[in-house]
Amino acid sequence: MAAVEDRENSFTDENNCSTVQERLSKRHQARQEEAERRKEERDRGSLTEEKRDYFITEFSREKAAIEALLSAQELEQAASQTALLQKFLNDSILFLPSYDLRQAQAALQKLHTAINDARGEARPKKKFAFKARTKATDVKDVTHANADATHANADVTDAVHERIETEQCTFSNLSGVTVTITAQEVSQRDVLLSHLEDCRVRLQGAPSSLHLKHLQRCELLCGPVSSSVFVDHCEQSVLVLACQQLRTHNTKDTQVYLHVTSRAIIEDCSGVSVAPFTWSYSGLDQDWTVSGLDRNRNNWNHVDDFNWLSTTEASPNWTVIPEEERRSEWE
């Protein structure tokens, strides 16, 4: 009996020893894995900091070179270099802190403005006197309605194209018309649309920036914008946009079909709804290339509401358009 007990005690001791060794081995392995994980994090952090330092140095150098081109009135070369600098920023968004991103975006916007201002000073100014509002509801004769609308749209389009050539892609005070603007007219230029009612606007191409102000019951489709889109006082409209940054103010009851590589921002807005960008047209692929936007990075449903401070509840000022209600055909 004593021999049996000794054997059992010996087996128990061996089993306990084996269990302790296994625990020690697992603990040692866990320590090694944790040490490797921390090292990888340090390496990633160091690499990110190196990328950030490189970006800041290169961005500052290129910005100074563009400013020198502007001083020498080398406007087209300055515009070309600015487009490349915009692409450099777009490619660097993932590792840039938000402060550096905002600073770079502001610097690029100043360059775009300076280039367009210089172009305007170098170009002889013509007065643009298009003031009439053409309303589709004024056409009462059904037999001649299509012809009258065609002539009205042709007159408006001619006036818009004249303004594009002389006043840097701006037009306003239109009602009840359809206007199409080509890629050649807006490519890498600032575009301003203001005080439009019941209009359908098609902007093909890759503008440098887009400003939309005081739009009511409008449908606007725009090709990829290299930098920012600014929306202010827009109501009961549909906007189809692709851009690097979207900032929307004082806007309500408006749908936005969006491709945006950073996070969209709304402020003082209500009834804004979003869905992915769905417009397609001949030449769109080339416009994506010119814009420098990343087609694989789309934060369409990441919206920051500057009037909503809660971190636990979603903002009531914007929603996602249900898939069954989204539009994919625009013509």
Side-chain angles (χ1 to χ4, degrees), residues 23-148:
R23 286 203 301 267
L24 290 174
S25 177
K26 290 180 179 179
R27 191 177 302 171
H28 178 68
Q29 183 177 355
R31 288 199 192 100
Q32 284 185 324
E33 291 175 353
E34 177 65 16
E36 290 176 0
R37 185 186 65 80
R38 291 181 178 179
K39 182 178 182 301
E40 288 177 358
E41 287 182 352
R42 287 195 301 270
D43 291 343
R44 282 198 299 269
S46 176
L47 180 59
T48 298
E49 190 64 25
E50 288 177 6
K51 288 182 177 179
R52 174 181 176 271
D53 291 343
Y54 172 77
F55 172 83
I56 292 174
T57 300
E58 288 299 304
F59 187 91
S60 299
R61 183 176 64 81
E62 290 299 323
K63 176 175 171 289
I66 293 170
E67 290 170 344
L69 289 171
L70 281 170
S71 298
Q73 291 297 303
E74 298 287 344
L75 302 185
E76 296 311 312
Q77 189 174 352
S80 176
Q81 291 299 112
T82 302
L84 291 175
L85 189 58
Q86 178 70 60
K87 186 178 187 306
F88 179 47
L89 173 60
N90 294 346
D91 292 340
S92 306
I93 287 176
L94 282 178
F95 61 81
L96 282 180
S98 58
Y99 174 79
D100 292 335
L101 179 59
R102 288 195 301 270
Q103 292 291 100
Q105 289 170 340
L108 270 168
Q109 187 58 45
K110 287 182 179 179
L111 289 175
H112 286 304
T113 300
I115 290 170
N116 286 313
D117 287 348
R119 281 171 169 166
E121 292 174 1
R123 183 184 299 120
K125 292 290 191 296
K126 296 180 183 179
K127 291 185 178 180
F128 179 73
F130 184 79
K131 296 180 181 177
R133 287 172 174 256
T134 304
K135 287 187 176 292
T137 54
D138 292 340
V139 183
K140 298 180 180 179
D141 187 341
V142 176
T143 304
H144 298 94
N146 290 338
D148 290 343

Side-chain angles (χ1 to χ4, degrees), residues 125-285:
K125 292 290 191 296
K126 296 180 183 179
K127 291 185 178 180
F128 179 73
F130 184 79
K131 296 180 181 177
R133 287 172 174 256
T134 304
K135 287 187 176 292
T137 54
D138 292 340
V139 183
K140 298 180 180 179
D141 187 341
V142 176
T143 304
H144 298 94
N146 290 338
D148 290 343
T150 300
H151 289 309
N153 285 333
D155 292 340
V156 171
T157 300
D158 290 342
V160 168
H161 289 188
E162 174 72 9
R163 186 152 189 155
I164 287 171
E165 293 174 359
T166 60
E167 298 185 10
Q168 304 168 344
C169 303
T170 69
F171 65 98
S172 59
N173 298 319
L174 303 178
S175 181
V177 297
T178 297
V179 178
T180 298
I181 303 175
T182 65
Q184 290 76 15
E185 292 167 316
V186 302
S187 182
Q188 293 303 291
R189 302 177 70 187
D190 291 337
V191 178
L192 168 63
L193 286 69
S194 67
H195 295 91
L196 308 183
E197 295 181 5
D198 302 299
C199 292
R200 298 176 75 241
V201 181
R202 302 291 186 267
L203 289 172
Q204 298 182 5
S208 171
S209 67
L210 176 64
H211 298 253
L212 307 175
K213 297 182 179 181
H214 299 284
L215 272 59
Q216 291 190 352
R217 299 177 302 280
C218 291
E219 181 182 280
L220 179 138
L221 283 67
C222 184
V225 179
S226 294
S227 57
S228 300
V229 174
F230 301 93
V231 180
D232 192 18
H233 287 93
C234 183
E235 297 183 12
Q236 300 176 31
S237 295
V238 178
L239 311 176
V240 184
L241 306 166
C243 57
Q244 193 273 321
Q245 181 187 48
L246 173 67
R247 300 201 64 152
T248 305
H249 302 270
N250 306 300
T251 292
K252 61 183 181 180
D253 303 328
T254 292
Q255 294 185 339
V256 184
Y257 287 78
L258 181 63
H259 183 108
V260 61
T261 56
S262 61
R263 296 177 68 93
I265 294 171
I266 63 172
E267 189 171 14
D268 300 324
C269 296
S270 64
V272 174
S273 53
V274 298
F277 181 90
T278 56
W279 190 31
S280 180
Y281 58 87
S282 177
L284 177 60
D285 289 340

